[in-house]
Amino acid sequence: MIDLQQVSFHEATIRGLSKVAQDAELELDDVLVEGKRASANVKVFSVSSISVDGIPSSVLAMEADDGEVLTLDTSGEGFFLIAEWNDFAKGKSTTKSYHVVGRSMVLTVT
């Protein structure tokens, strides 16, 4: 079992952010676990609420092809994410926050 105090999500690459049916999923690369790079997957089951920048939403999706975690806090019911999205083709960058709550949350690190 991994000690979450030994896991750093800061600057991890966001590979996927989506909601399919009633579940939400956050897929990450470049997570640091005890100083070594790993991948992580956060799944929230039976989502009851999603807010983007504090506004209720039914959509959970990547804002650009390149995303980076600034902050990620997980709990037994969901996660709070602050992400920076980079659209290199348009030369634009934006920061958004996401709060996803459901019945339960599972974090897998590989």
Side-chain angles (χ1 to χ4, degrees):
M1 183 166 212
I2 295 172
D3 178 5
L4 284 180
Q5 300 223 1
Q6 298 296 318
V7 179
S8 174
F9 297 106
H10 184 66
E11 296 185 346
T13 301
I14 301 171
R15 189 169 21 96
L17 178 64
S18 61
K19 181 174 180 268
V20 177
Q22 295 301 313
D23 301 333
E25 184 170 27
L26 173 62
E27 300 168 271
L28 304 171
D29 287 330
D30 302 322
V31 173
L32 290 179
V33 180
E34 297 178 345
K36 296 178 184 173
R37 293 196 186 281
S39 295
N41 183 286
V42 182
K43 280 195 171 185
V44 179
F45 299 96
S46 299
V47 171
S48 57
S49 71
I50 298 172
S51 62
V52 179
D53 288 339
I55 300 169
S57 177
S58 60
V59 177
L60 187 64
M62 293 183 62
E63 300 288 328
D65 289 339
D66 182 75
E68 180 180 299
V69 173
L70 300 179
T71 301
L72 176 61
D73 292 320
T74 59
S75 70
E77 297 84 31
F79 64 83
F80 177 76
L81 168 70
I82 298 177
E84 179 178 44
W85 300 103
N86 299 298
D87 187 335
F88 295 113
K90 294 180 181 177
K92 291 187 177 183
S93 176
T94 186
T95 302
K96 293 208 174 214
S97 68
Y98 303 85
H99 189 203
V100 178
V101 178
R103 178 179 46 82
S104 62
M105 183 275 304
V106 173
L107 169 64
T108 307
V109 178
T110 56

